[in-house]
Amino acid sequence: MMEDEELEFVEDLEAILHLTPEVQLAIEQVFPSQDPLDRTDFNAVEYINTLFPTEQSLANIDEVVNNIRLKIRRLDDNIRTVVRGQTNVGQDGRQALEEAQKAIQQLFGKIKDIKDKAEKSEQMVKEITRDIKQLDHAKRHLTTSITTLNHLHMLAGGVDSLEAMTRKRQYGEVANLLQGVVNVLEHFQKYMGIPQIRQLSERVKAAQSELGTQILADFEEAFPAQGSKKSGGPSIVLRDACLVANVLDPRIKQEIIKKFIRQHLSEYLVLFQENQDVAWLDKIDRRYAWIKRQLVDYEEKYGRMFPEEWCMTERISVEFCHITRTELAKLMRTRAREIEVKLLLFAIQRTTNFEGLLAKRFSGCTLNDGPGKKPETPLEPTNPFLEDEDNVSEKDEDLDRPKKPKAPDNPFHGIVSKCFEPHLYVYIESQDKNLGELIDRFVADFRAQGPPKSGTDEGGAVLPSCADLFVYYKKCMVQCSQLSTGEPMIALTTIFQKYLREYAWKILSGNLPKTSTNSGGLTISSLLKEKEGSEVAKFTMEELCLICSILSTAEYCLATTQQLEEKLKEKVDKTLMERINLTGEMDTFSTVISNSIQLLVQDLDAACDPALTAMSKMPWQSVEHVGDQSPYVTSVIMHIKQNVPIIRDNLASTRKYFTQFCIKFTNSFIPKFINHLFRCKPISMVGAEQLLLDTHSLKTVLLDLPSIGSQVVRKAPASYTKIVVKGMTRAEMILKVVMAPHEPSVVFVDNYIKLLADSNPETFQKILDMKGLKRSEQGTMLELFRQRLPNPPSGPDSGPSLSFSAPTPEQESSRIRKLEKLIKKRIQ
């Protein structure tokens, strides 16, 4: 029974001491221990085996048992101490809680006492300050009452004084008093319900109305609408009346200003009536001279009468400008047929000068609130490219210079000169006529002087007429931008476009030399004659220089036309910018450049044709040994050395177009050379070696083409070198295939496919013709060629391998006809 009870006790103890992994981990972190007895996975058998690993170790079993008993005894002591220490913890805790509750109750009582005392103190303070507040309110109300009574006294006395001074016309005193009365009356706006206050307000309004009527009558009497001014002139009374008008309704001030200015300018309307000689544009200076004298007279007589802030001098000038614009517009509509360009420009120049003088003298502050219509100022300030008139005739290279800073806006711009805008068609028509005569003079001068001479500085230079044309354009732009930035600028742009095209057609394209003297005009077929010994017409050195000069001029015109378009857009109103477009004219000059390069290419290409024809007719089968380069190669090199240095020197300023010439010539010459190479049949092994040597010589010359005959050797552009290498390498591969033995056939076909990568059976047949194979052998080889062809690639790389395939005769003939028609159309 005892053993059973002990087993149950052990099991209960194990159940009680079984801890969760989280708790066990926390205990290990708080009380780290290396003792195996503290491990959760403690195994008694393993522990005993550790203590007694061998039989000999059992000899000290007594010592081990004693140590364990000592450790158990110490643990029991520790546990007994802890248990005894915890017996009084509950009682101590209850005692501490009771003491804390008592302390809280005492604290609560003290807080309540403090709150009660604070409320009593606040009530006591309110009782003490109640009388003070009443006294403060009484003081404030008393002060307000006294101030209001003072204002009322001042208002009543001021109204009485105002009425008395108004009857006596004591405007000097009235000016100061009226402003004070108005200011005091503002304090009584919330008391208008009181009859006495409302009565005083009505008396003030009546006095103001009476003053306004009285002052207007005084000015009417001093400055009657009809007749001359009174001999007495301005007076102190009128000066003080103006000060009163500043306080009255603004309409009184405006009426005074309006009547005075109308009376002051009445003489002007009489002197410059439509039927007077001085009213016409040729005497427009007299109008501005008259107003200058009137302004001086006003400053002497009336300068001190009107307040300075009224800006009467500026108002008189502005009204004069409005009247002048109206009168001039009416006069020009009546006598429109008498308006000439010089007369119109003279009047506009004098008017803009007068407007500039006004801008220097006045600020323009009266333009918005003064009498009359507000001037129609343009969206942009006048002439954004401010340049001195002396610089208008400078070369058009000035267009490349940085723009000068813009001048301040002129608020008076267009206040008079706007009336000339409907008549600017006269100026536009004049410029149309002048530009037409200028183009005709350019044509006549070109015919008289002839093309630029070779070996001089003129060769390849820009034609002087081009600079003259754009200088004239610049002068017209400056003039027109001063006159108007609206529709006239659009009309002038249309004129510019017209004569840019005429210059391109008559001066540039019209003077390009023809490649043939046949009545049919420019033909390519005439350059492709293959009759042996035939002479092909070549351009002379002067004609080459002329073509280069026209090309350089066209490039200059292209760049300057682009600048012209930008400057026109800057000068014109923003709303009209989209209507300025010179793209068509720039395309025209680009076409002239393209035609010029094409002529240079055709000339050199045609010069090389006889040599290529001679190559195709040489008996290459009978060549016995390989020597120096063949005569036809020498002939081609000779023509290249004759033409290219001249073209390069004359296109020194337009290097990119010389590069274009080299690329176009190479793209034309190499396919033609390969085409003539196919005509060399049959070819022996030695003949093929000779042709390969000649091809290498031509390749070397073509690679050196951009710098041939030049003392300064420059590396050819990479794009050009790539074209030459690709094209001439194909020619070399053709000859290498021809040199290869055609037996065995499979090896020959595979070698052809590897070297040329050309899947066209026609090209393969031409190779067989060059080798001199019979038709029966060619059929077998063609069948084998079709069988050995690899599947065509399906990617984008499939195209380049056929880019240099020689065209068939039918394709070549069709291309020549299309090119011939295109060149005829462009040259006409």
Side-chain angles (χ1 to χ4, degrees), residues 9-167:
F9 176 76
V10 171
E11 291 176 358
D12 294 340
L13 184 62
E14 290 179 353
I16 293 173
L17 296 179
H18 182 71
L19 302 176
T20 61
E22 292 80 4
V23 175
Q24 189 67 35
L25 179 62
I27 293 175
E28 290 178 357
Q29 292 178 353
V30 176
F31 303 105
S33 174
Q34 299 298 326
D35 193 340
L37 296 174
D38 294 332
R39 295 180 58 181
T40 57
D41 55 348
F42 174 75
N43 191 321
V45 176
E46 291 182 358
Y47 182 69
I48 292 173
N49 290 333
T50 304
L51 295 176
F52 307 104
T54 60
E55 292 181 0
Q56 289 78 9
S57 60
L58 293 175
N60 58 351
I61 187 172
D62 294 334
E63 183 180 355
V64 173
V65 171
N66 291 331
N67 290 335
I68 291 176
R69 287 177 178 173
L70 178 62
K71 184 181 293 186
I72 292 172
R73 192 178 301 113
R74 289 177 180 174
L75 287 175
D76 290 339
D77 293 340
N78 291 335
I79 292 172
R80 190 178 300 108
T81 303
V82 172
V83 170
R84 288 176 181 175
Q86 292 296 322
T87 54
N88 297 327
V89 170
Q91 184 178 358
D92 295 340
R94 284 192 297 272
Q95 185 178 357
L97 179 60
E98 291 175 357
E99 292 176 356
Q101 290 176 347
K102 291 179 181 179
I104 292 173
Q105 289 177 355
Q106 294 175 0
L107 179 62
F108 181 75
K110 292 179 180 179
I111 293 174
K112 185 176 181 181
D113 292 342
I114 293 172
K115 183 178 179 181
D116 293 340
K117 292 179 181 179
E119 292 177 351
K120 293 179 181 180
S121 300
E122 183 180 1
Q123 186 65 27
M124 188 181 299
V125 170
K126 287 182 179 180
E127 292 176 356
I128 295 172
T129 59
R130 182 181 300 129
D131 296 336
I132 298 175
K133 287 183 178 179
Q134 291 177 352
L135 292 174
D136 186 49
H137 287 303
K139 178 182 177 182
R140 187 182 304 113
H141 294 159
L142 183 61
T143 303
T144 303
S145 300
I146 294 173
T147 304
T148 304
L149 288 174
N150 287 335
H151 287 166
L152 181 61
H153 177 71
M154 293 170 57
L155 180 62
V159 171
D160 293 337
S161 301
L162 181 63
E163 293 174 344
M165 293 177 184
T166 300
R167 289 191 294 270

Side-chain angles (χ1 to χ4, degrees), residues 48 85 134 167 228 252 261 272 304 324 329 371 395 419 450 509-510 530 547 703-705 713 720 732 781 813:
I48 292 173
Q134 291 177 352
R167 289 191 294 270
S228 60
I252 304 298
I261 293 177
F272 293 92
R304 298 182 179 180
T324 302
K395 295 295 182 181
C419 66
S509 293
E530 297 183 1
I547 295 174
L703 287 173
D704 194 41
L705 182 68
V713 179
Y720 171 79
E732 292 174 345
M781 296 288 280
S813 176

Side-chain angles (χ1 to χ4, degrees), residues 325-440:
R325 183 174 67 181
T326 303
E327 294 297 321
L328 286 177
K330 187 191 305 181
L331 187 62
M332 285 189 290
R333 283 196 301 270
T334 305
R335 304 172 63 177
R337 296 184 179 180
E338 302 179 31
I339 300 176
E340 299 178 353
V341 177
K342 292 183 179 179
L343 180 62
L344 182 65
L345 292 179
F346 168 79
I348 293 174
Q349 184 63 41
R350 294 297 187 269
T351 302
T352 53
N353 290 344
F354 177 70
E355 292 173 350
L357 180 64
L358 292 180
K360 293 179 180 178
R361 176 76 183 278
F362 307 119
S363 63
C365 61
T366 65
L367 294 176
N368 294 332
D369 59 354
K373 183 180 178 181
K374 181 181 177 180
E376 300 176 5
T377 55
L379 295 178
E380 294 292 329
T382 60
N383 192 9
F385 307 96
L386 292 169
E387 297 175 348
D388 297 334
E389 294 179 1
D390 297 335
N391 296 334
V392 170
S393 59
E394 291 180 0
K395 295 295 182 181
D396 195 61
E397 284 79 2
D398 292 346
L399 294 175
D400 298 330
R401 296 177 183 174
K403 292 188 295 185
K404 296 181 180 180
K406 292 185 179 180
D409 293 353
N410 180 0
F412 297 94
H413 174 73
I415 192 171
V416 179
S417 58
K418 198 74 174 179
C419 66
F420 297 109
E421 187 166 323
H423 304 277
L424 285 180
Y425 68 88
V426 178
Y427 171 78
I428 301 300
E429 292 174 354
S430 172
Q431 297 307 323
D432 189 4
K433 180 181 177 182
N434 293 342
L435 283 170
E437 294 175 353
L438 187 65
I439 294 295
D440 293 339

